[in-house]
C-alpha cells in the first residue's frame, strides 16, 4: 500500500506523529484515499453474496415500485456516475502523468462499481419483499463515517488554499458526500408493504418500521403520544403479530411436542425390547430411567420450548455479548481519560476524543442491552402463551384420577403465578453461563490495575457469592412453602366462593374466615422470614462494591508502602466493581355397530383406587333403544356413564360408543353466557329446530319470565335459574346437538313431576324427539321404567339384573324387591293399572306452566350491586334497553390513567407514619454514608505522593471502612423496615378484603364472576405481598442514589446544572408519558373461562366441543397479550431514551471536566465521571420501578373497591336480648310479607300472610318459579323483605343479627355442597359437638356404615366439592348436619330431588321421627313425601293460592288436586 501511495506521490499509509502525537491530528492522504474509500466497498463486496442468498431463502413477496425505492435507485445512479465522471476527468486532465495518479484513478472506479452493486441489491430487496435494509443502512453509514475525515481535510485545505486549484474534484467529493447522506437518510425509512397482502385492523407498527426505528423503538412513539393525549382504551391497542398469536405459537409447539414425545417413546420402546431379549446392560437401564425421569420432570417440554423459541432467543444472546464488549470498553476509556487529566502536556483534543468515545460506547451499550431485553420479553411472552395454551388443553383431557389431585384453584394458580416464573427463567437464563465470564473479565482487568491485590477481591466475591446463593436457596424453599400456603388459601377461597350460599345458610362464615386467616398467617410468617433473608441479600449486594473495594484497596496499600492509590486506580477499579455487581445479582436468580358396548369392563376413578365398576361388566346397548339404569345411592350409576364417556380409568376390558355423544350431567353445568348460547353451545342456530327443542324441554314459558328472553345472560353456574330450569337448559343443549348417543344422568330429578312427565313424553320416551337415538337414562323415577327397552339394576358397582320392566318384576329378584318395598299398595296399583292411561294424556304445558315474573330462587340482578341507571330514551333505543335487561355479571374494567393519590395515601396510612419516617431517615443516612466514603476516596486519590508513598493510609482505610459498614447496616435496616411495613399493610388489606367479601349479600356473588373475586385473592394479594415492597425498595434506593450522583457531579462541575436541570424536566415529561398509559387489563376472563372449563370438562368432551373452547381461550389469551406487549415495549422505549439522556450527563461531566482541566483534580473528575456512568441505569430503574409500583398499587385499588359495595346486615348485634334457647317453639308468622330480587322489579312474593304453629309440618308446592324457594330465602334473610315482616316465636327476624338467626334454624339445601377437608369439619366446622354426637347424627342419616368402613372414619378427606362422594351421599351428609344442629325449625329445599326412593324413604322417616317436635317446611317436587303433612301451601306467581291439609285440598279439586293427579297419586 505504501508503494502504491508513493507512486502517486502521497505520504506513507500511517504516521503516528501525524495522527496521535500532535496538537492537530490528521490522517495521511494515502489512508484517506485508499482505506477510507475502500473499506465500505470491501464490506459490500464480501457480504452481499451471503445477504442475497438470505433474501432468496426468505422472500416475502414482491414490493411495488414506491417513490422511496425510486429515489434510492435514482440517487444510486447519480452516485455511480460521479465516480465515473471523476475517473474520466483524471484520465483526460492527467494523462501525461497518469502513473502518478493511480490511487486517484482506482478509487473512483471501485467506488462506482460498488454503488452499482448497491443499486442491484436495492432492486433484489424489492423483488424479495425486504422493506427495510439493515445491510445497506450499515453500508451507507460506513460510507458517511469514512468520508467525514476527508471532508474535514478538504474543508480545511479549501479554507487555507481556496477552491481554485482543483475545483472539479472538490465539487465531486462534496456532491458525492451529500448524496451518500441522502441515501443514509432514505435507508432510515421502511418501504411499502407488498401489494395484495391482507392488512390487519390496527396492525402493530413494528412490521412497518425501519431498522433504525426498531433499534431505537421509535415505532412505539405513536401509541405513547396517543396515551399522553387521552387514556388508552382497549381498541387503541395493536393487534398481535401473527407470530405472537396463540394459534400460531401452539400449533407450531404441538408439532414439536408430538415429534419429541414420539422420539422418546421410540427410545423407550427400543430399550424395553432390548431388556426383554435379555440384552440388558447397566448403561441402557440407566438411560431408560433417565428417559422416564425426563418425561416426568418436564425436560421434554423444556426441550420442545427451546426448539421452538431458541433461534430467536439466540439473536438476543448475541446482542447481550456485544453489549458486554462495549460495557467492558467504557472503564478502559475512563482510564485513558483520567490518564489524560493527570498528564499536564496532553493536548485537549484527546480529552474531547475520550469523552466522545465514552458517550458513543455508552449509547451502543444501551441499544444492544435493550434489544436483548426486548427479545427476552418477546420470547417470554410467547412461552407464557404456549404454556397457558397447553395447560388449558390439558385441563380439557385430564382424567378423573388426575382431576382429583389438582383442584381448580391450583390450576388457576398455575396459569396466573407459575407462568410468570417461566418468563423470569427466560430473562435470567443467559446469566447462568454469561455471569461467570463477566466476573472473570472484571477480575482480570482489576488485576491489571491492582496486581495480586485483585485476588483479595476474588476472595470477597467467593464469600459474597455463596452467601447470596445460600440465601437464594433458603428463599426458594421459603417461597415453595409460601406458595403451598397460598395455594391452600386460594383453593379454600375458591370453595368458599362456590359454596357461599351454603355458608350463609349455615352461618359458617366465621369458621371459614378463621381457616383462611390461618393459611394467611402462615403465609405471612413465611413471607417475613423470606423478606428478612432478602434484606440480608440486598444489604450484601448493595455493599458488595464497597466490600470488594475496601478489601482490595486495603490489601494493596498495606502489603507495600510504595503502592499508591491514584485517581486512575481507584475510579477505574470502582467502575469495574460496579460492572461486577450485575452478574453477581443475576446469578442467584438464574440457579424450575351397537350404540354402546362394554366388554368385560372393570373401571376405577384412579389407577390405584378401588374399582367403582367391577365384575367385568358386559353390556350391549342396541342403537335407538332406551336403557334405564337404576340402583341405590352410591351403587355406581353415574360411574357407568362416566365409563362410557372415558372419564374413568379402564382397568380391563373395552368400551365403545358409536357415533357422536351428548351428555346431561346430574348437576347441570351452565356457562356464564346467554341462555341461547348455552343451548346452541357453539352450533349454528336453526330456528325451527331451536323452537321445537325449547317446547320439548318445557322452556318456552320460562323465556317469558326472563328480562331479555333467551338473550338473558345466565350467571356463573346458572345462578339466576332454579334447579329445574338449569336441568332443562342442560337437557336442551344435548337435544339441540342431534347426537347419536344420549347419556342422561338423572335429568328429571330436579324438575317438578308434571314437567318431568312432559319432558319424558316429548324428549326421552318412545314418542319423544329422541326416539330414534340411543338413550342411557339414569333415573330414580319408577313411572318411566315400564317404557324402557332395557333396565340395568346396579348394586355396589355390579350389574345384578338386566331386562325389561315386566321381565324383572316376574323374576322376583332385587328389582322386584326395590319396586314392592318402596311403592305403597295403592301407588303400585296405580302405577301398574293406570300407567298407560296417564301417559297417553297430553298435558297442556301452557295451562300448567308458571307465569310468575320472578326469576326463581336465585335472581341475579341486584339493584344495589349492579344497578344500571337508564335515562329516558327515545323509542329507537328500546332494543338497547332490551339488550341490557339480560345483562347480569359485571365486567371487570381496566383502570385507565394515573392512580389517584388517595390510593398511595391509603396504602401508606396502613403502614403507619412512624415507620415511614424511620424508612426515609434510614435512606437519607445510607446515602449520606455512601456520598461520604466516595468523597473520601477522591480526597485519598488526590493526596500528594511523598518519597513514593502516601501518608496516613491506615487512617484513610479505617474511615473508609467505617463509613461503608455504616451504609451496609443502614441498607439492611431500611429494607427490613419496608418489608415489615408492607407486610402490615398486606395483612390489613387482605383481612379487609376477606371481611368485605364475606359480609356481601348473595346478590353480590351472583353478579360478580368468581374469577374476578379469585383474582383479587390470588394475583392482587400476591402483588401486594411481593411486587409493591420490591418496587418500593428499588424505587427509593435508586432515587436516593441518583440524588447522590447529582450532588457529586455538581460538586465537581457546578456548570453541569445548566444541563442537568433541562434533562430533569425532559425526564419528568418522559415519565409522565409512560405512566399515562393504560393499566394492565385483567386476566379474570381467562381464570373464569378456565374455571368453567375444568368444571364442565366432561360435558365439553361429551359434545366434542374442545376445538371451540380452545379457540375461545386463544382469543382471551391473545387479548391479554395485546395489552402486555405494548407495556414491555414501553419500558424498552423508555430505557433507550432515558439512557441516551443519562449518557448525555456522562458526556457533559466528561466535556466539562476536560474544559476545567487546569482547576479540577483527577480525583474529583474520576468521582464525577465514574458516578455519572451509573446515571443511565439509575434513571431507567427509577422509572421502571415507579411504573411497577404504579401498576401494582392498582392491586390495592382493586382490593379496596369491595369496601364500597353494599353489605348484608350485621352478623350479630351487641347487647342483643335474644334468649339462648330461641326459638323454643318454632312458630312462624308472615305479616303481609313481600320480597323482590331487585329494586324496580315486580315482587317475587306478594302479600304473604300465614301463621305456622309449633310442630306443624308444612309442604310448599308450586310450579317452577312460583316463589317456593323465595320463601326460604326470606326466612334466612338471604334476601331482605321489601315489605312486611316475618316473626319467629314472636321476634321480628329483621331486628336480630344474621348469624343469630341462621344458626338457630336449619336448612337442607337443594344443592349438597361439601368443602375440601375432613368429613367431621364438613359436619361441624366450629367443633361444637362431641364425636359421639356426630356418630349419632351419621347413624340417623344412614351414613354410619359407610363412614365406619372408611380408613380414616370421621377424618376422611373430602375432595373439592365433595366429588369423592356420590350426590346422594352428599345429600345425606347435609341431612346429618341438620340432625346435628337439631333446631326447632327445619327447611328442606327440594332436598330429596336427587335421591332414589329407598334413601328418600329413609330420610323422610328420619325427619318424621327426629324432627317430630320441630316446625318443618318442605319445598317438594315429590308430592308423596308431603301427603301426611299437617298443611300444604300451594304457590303461584308469588301468591299463596291454596293452604290446607292435603286431604282437604284434594277434596277442593284445586291446583293441588291436579298436581296430585299428574303425579299418579290419585
Amino acid at each position: 500500500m505504501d508503494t502504491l501511495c508513493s507512486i502517486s506521490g502521497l505520504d506513507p499509509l500511517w504516521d503516528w506523529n501525524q495522527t496521535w502525537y500532535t496538537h492537530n491530528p490528521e490522517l495521511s492522504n494515502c489512508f484517506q484515499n485508499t482505506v477510507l474509500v475502500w473499506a465500505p466497498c470491501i464490506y459490500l463486496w464480501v457480504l452481499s453474496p451471503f445477504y442475497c442468498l438470505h433474501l432468496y431463502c426468505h422472500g416475502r413477496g414482491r414490493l411495488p415500485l414506491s417513490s422511496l425505492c425510486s429515489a434510492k435507485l435514482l440517487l444510486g445512479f447519480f452516485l455511480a456516475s460521479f465516480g465515473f465522471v471523476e475517473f474520466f476527468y483524471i484520465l483526460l486532465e492527467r494523462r501525461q502523468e497518469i502513473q502518478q495518479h493511480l490511487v486517484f484513478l482506482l478509487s473512483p472506479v471501485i467506488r462506482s462499481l460498488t454503488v452499482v452493486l448497491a443499486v442491484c441489491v436495492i432492486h433484489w430487496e424489492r423483488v424479495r419483499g425486504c422493506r427495510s435494509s439493515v445491510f445497506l443502512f450499515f453500508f451507507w453509514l460506513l460510507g458517511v463515517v469514512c468520508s467525514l475525515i476527508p471532508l474535514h481535510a478538504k474543508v480545511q485545505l479549501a479554507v487555507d488554499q481556496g477552491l481554485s486549484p482543483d475545483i472539479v474534484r472538490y465539487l465531486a467529493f462534496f456532491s458525492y458526500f451529500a448524496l451518500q447522506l441522502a441515501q443514509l437518510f432514505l435507508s432510515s425509512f421502511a418501504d411499502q408493504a407488498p401489494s395484495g397482502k391482507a392488512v390487519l385492523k390496527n396492525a402493530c407498527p413494528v412490521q412497518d418500521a425501519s431498522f433504525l426505528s426498531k433499534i431505537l423503538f421509535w415505532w412505539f412513539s405513536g401509541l405513547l403520544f396517543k396515551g399522553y393525549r387521552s387514556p388508552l382504551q382497549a381498541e387503541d391497542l395493536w393487534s398481535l403479530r401473527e407470530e405472537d398469536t396463540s394459534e400460531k405459537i401452539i400449533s407450531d409447539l404441538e408439532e414439536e411436542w408430538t415429534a419429541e414425545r414420539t422420539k422418546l417413546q421410540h427410545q423407550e420402546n427400543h430399550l424395553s425390547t432390548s431388556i426383554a431379549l435379555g440384552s440388558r446392560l447397566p448403561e441402557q437401564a440407566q438411560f431408560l430411567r433417565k428417559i422416564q425421569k425426563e418425561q416426568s420432570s418436564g425436560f421434554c417440554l423444556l426441550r420442545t420450548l427451546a426448539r421452538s423459541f431458541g433461534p430467536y432467543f439466540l439473536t438476543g444472546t448475541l446482542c447481550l455479548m456485544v453489549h458486554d464488549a462495549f460495557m467492558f470498553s467504557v472503564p478502559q476509556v475512563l482510564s485513558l481519560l483520567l490518564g489524560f487529566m493527570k498528564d499536564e502536556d496532553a493536548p485537549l483534543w484527546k480529552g474531547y476524543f475520550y469523552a466522545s468515545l465514552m458517550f458513543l460506547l455508552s449509547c451502543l451499550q444501551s441499544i444492544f442491552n435493550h434489544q436483548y431485553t426486548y427479545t427476552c420479553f418477546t420470547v417470554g411472552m410467547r412461552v407464557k402463551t404456549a404454556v397457558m395454551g397447553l395447560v388449558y388443553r390439558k385441563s380439557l383431557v385430564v382424567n378423573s384420577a388426575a382431576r382429583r389431585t389438582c383442584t381448580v384453584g391450583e390450576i388457576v394458580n398455575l396459569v396466573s403465578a407459575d407462568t410468570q416464573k417461566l418468563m423470569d427463567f427466560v430473562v435470567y437464563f443467559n446469566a447462568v453461563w454469561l455471569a461467570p465470564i463477566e466476573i472473570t473479565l472484571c477480575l482480570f482487568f482489576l488485576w491489571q490495575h491492582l496486581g495480586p491485590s485483585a485476588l483479595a477481591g476474588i476472595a470477597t466475591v467467593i464469600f459474597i457469592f455463596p452467601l447470596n446463593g445460600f440465601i437464594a436457596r433458603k428463599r426458594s424453599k421459603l417461597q415453595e412453602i409460601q406458595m403451598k400456603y397460598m395455594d391452600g388459601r386460594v383453593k379454600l377461597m375458591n370453595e368458599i366462593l362456590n359454596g357461599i350460599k351454603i355458608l350463609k345458610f349455615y352461618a359458617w362464615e366465621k369458621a371459614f374466615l378463621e381457616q383462611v386467616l390461618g393459611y394467611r398467617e402462615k403465609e405471612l410468617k413465611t413471607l417475613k422470614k423470606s423478606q428478612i433473608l432478602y434484606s440480608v441479600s440486598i444489604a450484601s449486594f448493595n455493599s458488595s462494591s464497597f466490600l470488594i473495594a475496601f478489601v482490595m484497596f486495603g490489601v494493596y496499600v498495606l502489603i507495600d508502602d510504595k503502592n499508591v492509590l491514584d485517581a486512575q486506580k481507584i475510579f477505574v477499579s470502582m467502575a469495574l466493581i460496579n460492572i461486577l455487581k450485575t452478574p453477581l445479582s443475576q446469578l442467584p436468580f438464574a440457579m424450575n355397530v351397537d350404540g354402546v358396548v362394554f366388554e368385560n369392563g372393570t373401571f376405577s376413578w384412579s389407577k390405584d383406587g378401588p374399582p367403582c365398576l367391577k365384575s367385568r361388566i358386559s353390556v350391549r346397548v342396541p342403537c335407538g333403544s332406551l336403557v334405564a339404569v337404576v340402583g341405590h345411592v352410591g351403587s355406581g350409576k353415574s360411574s357407568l356413564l362416566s365409563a362410557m364417556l372415558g372419564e374413568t380409568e379402564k382397568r380391563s376390558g373395552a368400551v365403545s360408543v358409536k357415533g357422536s355423544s351428548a351428555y346431561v350431567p346430574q348437576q347441570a353445568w351452565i356457562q356464564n353466557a346467554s341462555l341461547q348460547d348455552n343451548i346452541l353451545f357453539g352450533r349454528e342456530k336453526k330456528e325451527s329446530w331451536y323452537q321445537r327443542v325449547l317446547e320439548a324441554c318445557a322452556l318456552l314459558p320460562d323465556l317469558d319470565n326472563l328480562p331479555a328472553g333467551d338473550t338473558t345472560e345466565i350467571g356463573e353456574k346458572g345462578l339466576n335459574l332454579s334447579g329445574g330450569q338449569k336441568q332443562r337448559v342442560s337437557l336442551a343443549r344435548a337435544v339441540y346437538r342431534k347426537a347419536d348417543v344420549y347419556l342422561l344422568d338423572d335429568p328429571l330429578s330436579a324438575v317438578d313431576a308434571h314437567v318431568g312427565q312432559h319432558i319424558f313424553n316429548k324428549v326421552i320416551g318412545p314418542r319423544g324427539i329422541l326416539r330414534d337415538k340411543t338413550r342411557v337414562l339414569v333415573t330414580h323415577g319408577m313411572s318411566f321404567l315400564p317404557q324402557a327397552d332395557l333396565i340395568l339394576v346396579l348394586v355396589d358397582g355390579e350389574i345384578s339384573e338386566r331386562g325389561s320392566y315386566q321381565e324383572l318384576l316376574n323374576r322376583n329378584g332385587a328389582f322386584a324387591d326395590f319396586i314392592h318395598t318402596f311403592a305403597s299398595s295403592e301407588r303400585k296399583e296405580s302405577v301398574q293399572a293406570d300407567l298407560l292411561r296417564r301417559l297417553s294424556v297430553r298435558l297442556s304445558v301452557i295451562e300448567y306452566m308458571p307465569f310468575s315474573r320472578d326469576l326463581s330462587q336465585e335472581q341475579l340482578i341486584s339493584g344495589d350491586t349492579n344497578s344500571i341507571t337508564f335515562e329516558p330514551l327515545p323509542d329507537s333505543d328500546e332494543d338497547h334497553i332490551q339488550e341490557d335487561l339480560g345483562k347480569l355479571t359485571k365486567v371487570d374494567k381496566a383502570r385507565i390513567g394515573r392512580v389517584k393519590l388517595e390510593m398511595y395515601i391509603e396504602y401508606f396510612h396502613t403502614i403507619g407514619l412512624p415507620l415511614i419516617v424511620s424508612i426515609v431517615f434510614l435512606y437519607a443516612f445510607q446515602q449520606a454514608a455512601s456520598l461520604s466514603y466516595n468523597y473520601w476516596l477522591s480526597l485519598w486519590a488526590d493526596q500528594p505522593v511523598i518519597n513514593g508513598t502516601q501518608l496516613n493510609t491506615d487512617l484513610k482505610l479505617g474511615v473508609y471502612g467505617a463509613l461503608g459498614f455504616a451504609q451496609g447496616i443502614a441498607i439492611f435496616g431500611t429494607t427490613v423496615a419496608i418489608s415489615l411495613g408492607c407486610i402490615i399493610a398486606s395483612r390489613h388489606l387482605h383481612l379487609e378484603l376477606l371481611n368485605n367479601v364475606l359480609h356481601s349479600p348473595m346478590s353480590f356473588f351472583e353478579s360478580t364472576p368468581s374469577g374476578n373475586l379469585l383474582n383479587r385473592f390470588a394475583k392482587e394479594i400476591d402483588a401486594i405481598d411481593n411486587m409493591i415492597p420490591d418496587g418500593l425498595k428499588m424505587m427509593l434506593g435508586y432515587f436516593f442514589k441518583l440524588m447522590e450522583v447529582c450532588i457529586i457531579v455538581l460538586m465537581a462541575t457546578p456548570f453541569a446544572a445548566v444541563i442537568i436541570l433541562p434533562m430533569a424536566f425532559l425526564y419528568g415529561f418522559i415519565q409522565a408519558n409512560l405512566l399515562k398509559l393504560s393499566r394492565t387489563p385483567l386476566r379474570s376472563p381467562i381464570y373464569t373461562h378456565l374455571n368453567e372449563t375444568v368444571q364442565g370438562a366432561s360435558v365439553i368432551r361429551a359434545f366434542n366441543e374442545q376445538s371451540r373452547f380452545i379457540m375461545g381461550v386463544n382469543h382471551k389469551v391473545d387479548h391479554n397479550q395485546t395489552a402486555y406487549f405494548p407495556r414491555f415495549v414501553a419500558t424498552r422505549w423508555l430505557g433507550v431514551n432515558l439512557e441516551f439522556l443519562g449518557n448525555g450527563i456522562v458526556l457533559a461531566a466528561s466535556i466539562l471536566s476536560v474544559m476545567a482541566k487546569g482547576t479540577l483534580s483527577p480525583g474529583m473528575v474520576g468521582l464525577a465521571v465514574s458516578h455519572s456512568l451509573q446515571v443511565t441505569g439509575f434513571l431507567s430503574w427509577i422509572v421502571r420501578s415507579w411504573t411497577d409500583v404504579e401498576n401494582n398499587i392498582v392491586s390495592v385499588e382493586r382490593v379496596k373497591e369491595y369496601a364500597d359495595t353494599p353489605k348484608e346486615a350485621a352478623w350479630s348485634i351487641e347487647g342483643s336480648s335474644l334468649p339462648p334457647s330461641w326459638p323454643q317453639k318454632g312458630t312462624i308468622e308472615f305479616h303481609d310479607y313481600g320480597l323482590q330480587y331487585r329494586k324496580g322489579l315486580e315482587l317475587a312474593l306478594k302479600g304473604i300472610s300465614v301463621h305456622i304453629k309449633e310442630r306443624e309440618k308444612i309442604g310448599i308446592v308450586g310450579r317452577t318459579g312460583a316463589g317456593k324457594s323465595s320463601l326460604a330465602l326470606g326466612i334466612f334473610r338471604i334476601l331482605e323483605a321489601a315489605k312486611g315482616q316475618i316473626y319467629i316465636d314472636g321476634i321480628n327476624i329483621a331486628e336480630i343479627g344474621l348469624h343469630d338467626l341462621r344458626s338457630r334454624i336449619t336448612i337442607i339445601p337443594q344443592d349438597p355442597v361439601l368443602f375440601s377437608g375432613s368429613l367431621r369439619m364438613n359436619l361441624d366446622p366450629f367443633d361444637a359437638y362431641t364425636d359421639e354426637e356426630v356418630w349419632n347424627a351419621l347413624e340417623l342419616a344412614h351414613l354410619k356404615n359407610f363412614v365406619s368402613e372408611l380408613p380414616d372414619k370421621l377424618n376422611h378427606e373430602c375432595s373439592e366439592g365433595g366429588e369423592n362422594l356420590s350426590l346422594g351421599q352428599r345429600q345425606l351428609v347435609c341431612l346429618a348436619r341438620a340432625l346435628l344442629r337439631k333446631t326447632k325449625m327445619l327447611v328442606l329445599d327440594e332436598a330429596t330431588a336427587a335421591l332414589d326412593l329407598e334413601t328418600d324413604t329413609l330420610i323422610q322417616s328420619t325427619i318424621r321421627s327426629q324432627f317430630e317436635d320441630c316446625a318443618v317446611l318442605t319445598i317438594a317436587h315429590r308430592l308423596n313425601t308431603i301427603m301426611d303433612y299437617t298443611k300444604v301451601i300451594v304457590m303461584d306467581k308469588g301468591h299463596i293460592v291454596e293452604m290446607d291439609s292435603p286431604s282437604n285440598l284434594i277434596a277442593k279439586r284445586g291446583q293441588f288436586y291436579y298436581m296430585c293427579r299428574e303425579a299418579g297419586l290419585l
Side-chain angles (χ1 to χ4, degrees), residues 782 785 805 809 814-823 828 832:
M782 294 191 333
L785 299 180
Y805 180 76
L809 270 184
F815 180 75
D817 292 341
F818 181 81
I819 296 291
H820 291 305
T821 307
F822 301 108
K828 192 165 56 181
Q832 292 173 351

Side-chain angles (χ1 to χ4, degrees), residues 326-525:
F326 289 130
M327 180 174 71
F328 281 107
S329 304
V330 171
Q332 307 310 313
V333 179
L334 174 63
S335 176
L336 293 171
L337 179 64
L338 292 176
F340 158 79
M341 294 299 293
K342 203 171 167 184
D343 184 0
E344 294 177 5
D345 299 326
L348 271 181
W349 72 265
K350 284 190 181 180
Y352 295 127
F353 172 71
Y354 293 141
S356 305
L357 185 59
M358 203 183 303
F359 171 73
L360 179 66
L361 290 173
S362 298
C363 289
L364 289 170
Q365 182 186 334
S366 298
I367 287 170
F368 280 98
N369 179 40
H370 289 290
Q371 283 303 311
Y372 162 68
T373 318
Y374 172 75
T375 307
C376 276
F377 275 101
T378 305
V379 172
M381 180 180 81
R382 290 174 186 173
V383 166
K384 189 171 184 177
T385 298
V387 173
M388 284 172 99
L390 289 176
V391 168
Y392 184 82
R393 282 154 181 75
K394 180 68 177 174
S395 72
L396 277 176
V397 299
V398 72
N399 62 22
S400 297
R403 175 72 183 84
R404 280 174 164 70
T405 62
C406 192
T407 65
V408 180
E410 286 166 341
I411 293 171
V412 167
N413 217 24
L414 187 72
V415 169
S416 64
D418 295 352
T419 49
Q420 186 61 44
K421 290 183 175 62
L422 264 175
M423 283 188 72
D424 295 342
F425 169 77
V426 170
V427 173
Y428 290 113
F429 173 72
N430 276 316
V432 174
W433 63 274
L434 200 58
I437 296 171
E438 289 175 347
I439 291 167
T440 307
L441 280 171
C442 278
L443 294 172
F444 167 74
F445 289 123
L446 284 168
W447 182 287
Q448 284 189 326
H449 284 87
L450 299 175
S453 304
L455 293 172
I458 295 172
T460 313
V461 169
I462 289 169
F463 167 73
I464 292 171
F465 173 62
L467 174 69
N468 278 345
F470 169 76
I471 289 171
R473 283 194 301 275
K474 289 290 288 180
R475 283 195 75 216
S476 178
K477 287 179 184 173
L478 286 170
Q479 279 170 347
E480 280 178 26
I481 296 167
Q482 186 196 340
M483 288 301 285
K484 188 180 80 175
Y485 290 135
M486 181 184 167
D487 279 348
R489 177 172 60 79
V490 172
K491 174 183 166 186
L492 182 58
M493 277 312 305
N494 186 45
E495 292 190 64
I496 287 171
L497 295 173
N498 286 336
I500 188 69
K501 190 177 176 192
I502 300 301
L503 293 190
K504 291 195 175 296
F505 273 137
Y506 288 134
W508 279 0
E509 293 102 325
K510 281 184 183 175
F512 280 83
L513 184 139
E514 290 303 321
Q515 281 190 49
V516 173
L517 292 181
Y519 276 117
R520 182 66 179 152
E521 278 309 308
K522 289 174 184 172
E523 191 184 344
L524 289 179
K525 192 176 176 183

Side-chain angles (χ1 to χ4, degrees), residues 73-86:
L73 292 170
L74 192 64
L75 286 176
F77 170 74
F78 282 129
L79 278 167
S81 63
F82 270 112
F84 290 122
V85 166
E86 190 177 350

Side-chain angles (χ1 to χ4, degrees), residues 907-1078:
Y907 181 72
F908 291 125
H909 178 69
T910 57
I911 293 174
L913 186 62
L915 202 54
I916 290 171
V917 171
S918 307
I919 289 166
V920 173
F921 171 76
L922 282 166
Y923 263 122
F925 177 76
Q926 83 181 41
Q927 243 28 73
S930 174
L931 176 61
S932 303
Y933 80 64
N934 280 308
Y935 185 62
W936 184 258
L937 270 182
S938 75
L939 294 177
W940 190 350
D942 289 335
Q943 193 192 9
V945 179
I946 301 167
N947 297 325
T949 63
Q950 287 175 316
L951 301 175
N952 302 322
T953 50
D954 295 351
L955 173 66
K956 291 182 177 65
L957 191 64
V959 171
Y960 177 60
L963 290 168
F965 281 111
Q967 185 209 19
I969 293 164
I971 291 170
F972 175 73
T974 310
T975 49
V976 167
I978 288 180
S979 299
L980 293 177
C982 291
I983 286 171
I984 290 167
S986 187
R987 178 185 283 114
H988 173 83
L989 288 165
H990 177 266
L991 180 61
E992 190 180 357
L993 171 66
L994 187 59
N995 277 318
N996 283 330
V997 168
L998 290 182
H999 279 83
S1000 296
M1002 271 307 298
S1003 53
F1004 167 80
F1005 297 99
E1006 292 159 354
S1007 61
T1008 308
S1010 62
N1012 294 0
L1013 289 170
L1014 207 57
N1015 200 17
R1016 301 294 189 273
F1017 284 98
K1019 186 174 178 293
E1020 309 304 346
I1021 291 294
D1022 185 51
I1024 293 168
D1025 283 351
N1026 297 300
M1027 305 302 289
I1028 293 177
D1030 290 351
L1032 283 173
K1033 287 173 197 169
M1034 195 180 288
M1035 184 182 77
L1036 290 170
Y1038 283 114
F1039 175 75
F1040 280 96
K1041 282 177 184 173
L1042 183 64
M1043 291 297 98
E1044 180 193 345
V1045 171
C1046 288
I1047 290 167
I1048 286 171
V1049 171
L1050 290 172
M1051 280 168 60
T1053 53
F1055 190 66
V1058 176
I1059 292 143
I1060 288 174
L1061 286 175
M1063 284 189 174
F1065 284 116
L1066 184 59
Y1067 170 68
F1069 170 74
I1070 290 171
Q1071 180 184 290
N1073 240 350
L1074 187 78
L1075 292 179
K1076 280 201 174 186
L1077 282 176
S1078 178

Side-chain angles (χ1 to χ4, degrees), residues 1107-1222:
S1107 57
R1108 184 170 65 84
F1109 275 76
I1110 285 167
M1111 281 175 64
V1113 84
N1114 282 355
H1115 173 73
K1116 286 175 168 60
V1117 170
D1118 287 352
H1119 182 70
N1120 210 298
Q1121 303 293 39
T1122 299
Y1124 174 73
F1125 181 67
R1127 265 196 69 222
F1128 81 72
V1129 176
T1131 350
R1132 303 282 65 78
W1133 179 92
L1134 175 81
V1136 167
N1137 286 282
L1138 282 188
E1139 288 185 20
F1140 272 54
L1141 201 67
N1143 293 333
I1145 292 177
V1146 174
L1147 183 65
S1150 307
I1151 295 285
L1152 290 170
S1153 299
V1154 171
M1155 289 169 69
K1157 184 183 177 187
T1159 56
L1160 273 183
S1161 67
M1164 207 61 204
V1165 171
L1167 183 67
V1169 176
S1170 65
H1171 273 71
S1172 65
L1173 284 171
Q1174 299 176 59
V1175 168
T1176 55
F1178 292 167
L1179 289 173
S1180 293
W1181 280 111
I1182 287 171
V1183 176
R1184 260 182 250 175
S1185 52
W1186 193 338
T1187 309
D1188 281 344
V1189 170
E1190 181 99 350
N1191 282 327
N1192 287 304
I1193 207 81
V1194 178
S1195 297
V1196 177
E1197 190 177 352
R1198 298 178 73 203
V1199 161
K1200 295 282 292 179
E1201 73 180 309
Y1202 292 134
D1204 301 325
T1205 54
K1207 302 292 176 283
E1208 59 184 2
W1211 285 347
S1212 56
I1213 296 170
E1214 287 184 25
S1216 171
S1217 57
L1218 194 67
S1221 58
W1222 179 88

